[in-house]
């Protein structure tokens, strides 16, 4: 969540909640359950499903495994997942829209379990997706890991931001969304610090051991500009070009980051689903 007016960088640093090793392990459990829920989604995706059907798969899996969908009823959001199709960047409300060949969709999910939240997102390609969109998917996913590489003790948040922007916008000409950012998380779904996908190396708070953040590049095929739809939630690209979003929950580590969520089972299910295009 963005800071309120009047908050300084110094005051924001004081609001960062560092986690113990035991708390990080609890977040990891939430994150791995979330990853398993996204893998269940990957197994079932196909043309003809509505985005409400997709939401139901994740919701059922999370609840049956003893957890709570973090997004459901959060500030009035009605569903377990944010499902954003094609030009939708984030916060799409599941509805009766029927998925078709050539669509891309991002499934963004949160899980709350044992007192801690985790947050992750994955963009899927259904069938015959255009090559330029598949290149965008590959670049966005790669940029996530470029950012994660910088999530080590002693670096600054801006190092993550710069790495993502350099790879996607400066080297490839894509649009990096400014209005929406990654964030800290733990006992609350949104905590400080904010983690933008654009910025300067060496800027922002110094990262310390115990910091857990959601790193989530949101990259548009063309313009960086976005707007909200009338539902008050769904954010779309202003020029209606496609947008891609990948996200991991990450613990800052000494010398190397610790990725608490996992794409391994998602990617396996994605490759085993003939309705999904993994050629990106």
């Amino acid at each position: 969540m963005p800071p309120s007016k009047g908050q300084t960088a110094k005051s924001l640093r004081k609001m960062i909640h560092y986690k113990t090793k035991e708390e990080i392990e609890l977040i990891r459990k939430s994150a791995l359950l979330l990853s398993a829920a996204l893998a269940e989604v990957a197994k079932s995706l196909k043309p003809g499903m509505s985005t409400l059907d997709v939401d139901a798969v994740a919701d059922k899996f999370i609840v049956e495994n003893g957890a709570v969908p973090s997004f459901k009823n959060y500030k009035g959001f009605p569903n377990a997942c944010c499902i954003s199709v094609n030009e939708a960047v984030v916060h799409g409300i599941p509805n009766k829209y029927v998925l078709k060949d050539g669509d891309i969709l991002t499934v963004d999910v949160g899980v709350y379990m044992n007192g801690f939240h985790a947050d992750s997102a994955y963009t899927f390609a259904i069938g015959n997706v255009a090559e330029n969109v598949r290149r965008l998917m590959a670049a966005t996913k790669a940029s996530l890991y470029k950012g994660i590489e910088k999530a080590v003790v002693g670096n600054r948040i801006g190092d993550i931001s710069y790495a993502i922007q350099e790879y996607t916008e400066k080297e490839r000409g894509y649009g990096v969304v400014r209005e929406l950012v990654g964030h800290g998380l733990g006992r609350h779904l949104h905590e400080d610090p904010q983690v933008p996908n654009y910025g300067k190396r060496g800027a922002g708070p110094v990262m310390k051991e115990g910091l857990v953040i959601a790193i989530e590049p949101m990259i548009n095929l063309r313009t960086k500009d976005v707007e909200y739809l009338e539902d008050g939630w769904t954010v779309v690209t202003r020029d209606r070009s496609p947008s891609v979003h990948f996200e991991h929950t990450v613990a800052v580590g000494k010398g190397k980051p610790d990725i608490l969520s996992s794409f391994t089972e998602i990617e396996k299910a994605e490759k085993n689903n003939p309705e999904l295009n993994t050629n990106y």
Side-chain angles (χ1 to χ4, degrees):
M1 302 291 285
S4 60
K5 290 181 180 179
Q7 286 182 342
T8 65
K10 185 175 180 181
S11 70
L12 281 174
R13 284 197 292 273
K14 287 182 179 179
M15 292 172 63
I16 294 173
H17 301 290
Y18 296 99
K19 281 75 181 178
T20 65
K21 291 180 179 178
E22 292 76 15
E23 288 172 334
I24 288 172
E25 290 309 309
L26 290 174
I27 298 172
R28 192 190 310 276
K29 289 181 179 178
S30 295
L32 291 178
L33 175 56
L34 186 163
S35 301
L38 284 170
E40 286 298 306
V41 167
K43 293 174 186 176
S44 63
L45 278 175
K46 61 182 179 181
M49 290 182 77
S50 72
T51 56
L52 270 173
D53 295 332
V54 178
D55 178 72
V57 172
D59 193 350
K60 183 173 184 286
F61 184 87
I62 292 166
V63 172
E64 287 183 348
N65 282 276
V68 175
S70 298
F71 299 172
K72 202 167 191 177
N73 301 317
Y74 179 73
K75 296 191 174 182
F77 190 80
N79 296 89
C81 305
C82 296
I83 301 180
S84 305
V85 180
N86 297 330
E87 72 274 12
V89 181
V90 288
H91 303 163
I93 299 175
N95 56 34
K96 294 180 180 179
Y97 177 84
V98 175
L99 298 170
K100 62 183 185 299
D101 183 78
D103 282 341
I104 62 169
L105 71 154
T106 298
V107 184
D108 187 1
V109 191
V111 160
Y112 180 73
M113 186 171 66
N114 298 320
F116 289 91
H117 294 273
D119 195 356
S120 185
Y122 200 94
T123 299
F124 298 96
I126 296 181
N128 187 30
V129 171
E131 183 180 352
N132 62 343
V133 178
R134 287 185 277 120
R135 286 199 299 266
L136 173 64
M137 292 176 67
T140 305
K141 197 176 192 180
S143 78
L144 170 61
Y145 291 100
K146 295 283 185 183
I148 288 171
E149 286 175 6
K150 303 300 181 183
V152 295
V153 172
N155 279 354
R156 291 180 178 269
I157 291 293
D159 296 327
I160 296 172
S161 308
Y162 177 87
I164 293 170
Q165 184 181 19
E166 179 74 11
Y167 189 81
T168 56
E169 186 174 85
K170 295 181 180 177
E171 294 182 11
R172 287 162 178 78
Y174 296 131
V176 177
V177 176
R178 268 50 171 185
E179 291 85 348
L180 303 151
V181 298
H183 53 89
L185 76 168
R187 292 192 181 278
H188 303 281
L189 180 57
H190 293 99
E191 297 179 358
D192 289 317
Q194 293 186 65
V195 186
N197 296 306
Y198 66 97
K200 296 180 180 179
R201 260 187 313 215
V206 175
M207 289 180 279
K208 300 178 183 179
E209 193 170 16
L211 177 64
V212 176
I213 51 178
I215 300 176
E216 49 178 320
M218 292 159 272
I219 312 298
N220 303 339
L221 184 63
R222 291 191 290 270
T223 182
K224 70 181 186 301
D225 298 323
V226 299
E227 60 189 28
Y228 282 81
L229 296 185
E230 290 183 1
D231 63 22
W233 283 100
T234 308
V235 180
V236 299
T237 56
R238 186 163 294 172
D239 65 357
R240 300 305 192 265
S241 63
S243 184
V244 173
H245 176 202
F246 286 97
E247 177 183 15
H248 269 311
T249 294
V250 180
V252 171
K254 290 182 178 179
K256 64 179 293 186
D258 185 3
I259 305 175
L260 305 181
S261 47
S262 173
F263 286 167
T264 302
E265 291 303 314
I266 302 168
E267 290 167 342
K268 181 179 177 181
E270 183 185 32
K271 288 176 181 176
N272 288 334
N273 184 341
E275 304 291 351
L276 296 181
N277 190 328
T278 58
N279 184 25
Y280 62 89

